[in-house]
Amino acid sequence: MKRNSKIYVAGHRGMVGSAIVRELKKQGYENIITRTHGELDLCRQAEVEKFFATEKPEYVFLAAAKVGGIGANSKAPADFMYQNMMIEMNVINAAWQNQCKKLLFLGSSCIYPKFAPQPMPESCLLTSALEPTNEAYALAKISGLKYCAYLNRQYGADFISVMPTNLYGSNDNYHPLHSHVLPALIRRFHEAKVANAPSVTCWGDGSPMREFLFVDDLADLCIFLMNNYSGDETVNAGTGKEISIKNLSELVAKIIGYEGEILWDTSKPNGTPRKLLDVSKAKNLGWTYKTDLEDGIKLAYEDFLNNPMRAER
């Protein structure tokens, strides 16, 4: 990408999209196009086709998606599949139809099988069954990355995909029902601290292992890949380090200053037992993460405190 290239960031108000916009500006890219949901509904094919035909972006970062944690995915699988499929297919197809030079599609590490080898290489995709609690979302994301690969093979497009691990950071979603594990823990322990609650109850038994990547590091990787990678196979985005949910909860409580007891509701699902990405491909391309987990959580908590409206989502 050149500094004056016309770049469209889909989903610019979300955590990932906003981080990509920040990083693009930081690196000197000036010609950035964005649209709010009110201005452009990505689920509406005609609207998307008109937008691309009019604006003709040269590069696209597809970060728009319907996202949520285990609870939200379990309760609304049809919604997660439909909305994500529509967004992906509309944007990717319109980008191809309008001769977009390059597109980067953002997926999720949940695309990999529930019992995939650990750490999970890109090659383990579709080798066995998915985790049932987020199967609908995973299937939609798999379809998006495969459509990019098929356009490359059939028509010579240059559309790539990146599969990030669990993300956190500025502009996260702290909704009590629809957030992912780390922002949910930040809100839960903060509210318990304020209320001087004697205990906080978390889902499952705390045994699952998870990997976390600071969202600004992901944004840096996305721009790096847009400039340095082409290929059908996706690229994993992570740190290559993991932590148990139990230890993560204790770390968040320590950072926030909550000193009560942490209890576990074993009637609630744990989700996938372990999710660690093999990040050797990104490393071999010349990229590594910069933000350690404890430092990143401190930055995320600061963002939570300084943006109270986000806590109401």
Side-chain angles (χ1 to χ4, degrees):
M1 295 184 297
K2 296 179 180 179
R3 292 297 181 267
N4 64 346
S5 294
K6 197 169 189 179
I7 303 167
Y8 170 47
V9 180
H12 74 285
R13 295 205 296 185
M15 178 174 63
V16 174
S18 61
I20 291 173
V21 170
R22 285 196 305 273
E23 188 63 28
L24 283 168
K25 290 179 177 178
K26 180 181 175 182
Q27 294 189 25
Y29 295 97
E30 301 172 351
N31 193 5
I32 303 170
I33 313 165
T34 60
R35 292 290 188 276
T36 65
H37 177 73
E39 294 168 327
L40 174 62
D41 184 348
L42 296 179
C43 286
R44 303 294 182 183
Q45 185 178 18
E47 289 186 31
V48 176
E49 289 177 346
K50 181 179 179 181
F51 165 77
F52 271 85
T54 302
E55 293 294 339
K56 296 288 186 181
E58 297 173 84
Y59 298 90
V60 175
F61 291 89
L62 179 44
K66 177 178 176 61
V67 298
I70 291 176
N73 275 272
S74 298
K75 290 180 180 178
D79 296 345
F80 275 86
M81 172 167 267
Y82 174 79
Q83 291 185 37
N84 283 298
M85 289 283 286
M86 293 301 292
I87 290 168
E88 296 160 10
M89 294 301 155
N90 288 341
V91 173
I92 295 169
N93 183 261
W96 168 67
Q97 292 281 3
N98 288 276
Q99 294 80 51
C100 176
K101 291 181 180 178
K102 196 164 187 174
L103 176 145
L104 182 144
F105 171 69
L106 277 142
S108 166
S109 60
C110 74
I111 65 167
Y112 295 124
K114 179 173 183 176
F115 296 108
Q118 301 291 324
M120 299 181 287
E122 291 87 353
S123 60
C124 74
L125 179 65
L126 295 175
T127 55
S128 59
L130 298 166
E131 159 60 39
T133 57
N134 57 24
E135 182 183 71
Y137 179 73
L139 287 170
K141 288 298 182 180
I142 291 169
S143 297
L145 75 89
K146 284 294 186 182
Y147 187 46
C148 287
Y150 295 152
L151 287 171
N152 294 343
R153 297 176 199 175
Q154 187 173 347
Y155 295 107
D158 189 7
F159 291 2
I160 62 175
S161 61
V162 58
M163 295 300 126
T165 188
N166 296 286
L167 300 170
Y168 69 101
S170 300
N171 201 26
D172 209 338
N173 175 12
Y174 299 97
H175 191 283
L177 297 177
H178 305 137
S179 59
H180 288 102
V181 59
L182 210 160
L185 290 173
I186 288 174
R187 174 172 179 156
R188 197 169 301 165
F189 283 114
H190 171 77
E191 291 179 344
K193 176 186 174 182
V194 171
N196 199 27
S199 65
V200 169
T201 301
C202 300
W203 278 29
D205 60 14
S207 65
M209 303 295 291
R210 291 292 182 269
E211 175 186 18
F212 295 91
L213 179 67
F214 193 60
V215 71
D216 290 71
D217 288 349
L218 172 65
D220 178 63
L221 173 61
C222 288
I223 296 167
F224 174 85
L225 292 175
M226 189 68 97
N227 287 321
N228 295 283
Y229 176 72
S230 293
D232 293 347
E233 189 177 68
T234 189
V235 178
N236 286 340
T239 64
K241 297 180 180 179
E242 60 186 342
I243 184 173
S244 71
I245 296 299
K246 181 178 184 295
N247 288 341
L248 176 69
S249 301
E250 292 170 352
L251 178 59
V252 172
K254 183 187 81 169
I255 290 170
I256 289 175
Y258 175 73
E259 299 179 348
E261 186 178 8
I262 302 175
L263 305 175
W264 296 92
D265 182 355
T266 55
S267 69
K268 301 295 186 182
N270 275 326
T272 305
R274 192 179 180 208
K275 285 177 67 176
L276 179 65
L277 292 179
D278 180 341
V279 295
S280 57
K281 186 172 183 177
K283 285 184 178 180
N284 290 337
L285 289 168
W287 184 89
T288 55
Y289 78 101
K290 301 178 179 66
T291 310
D292 288 329
L293 182 59
E294 185 165 353
D295 292 337
I297 294 174
K298 289 176 182 177
L299 291 169
Y301 184 45
E302 182 179 341
D303 176 70
F304 175 87
L305 292 175
N306 292 335
N307 296 274
M309 288 302 292
R310 292 202 179 104
E312 300 303 320
R313 292 181 182 177

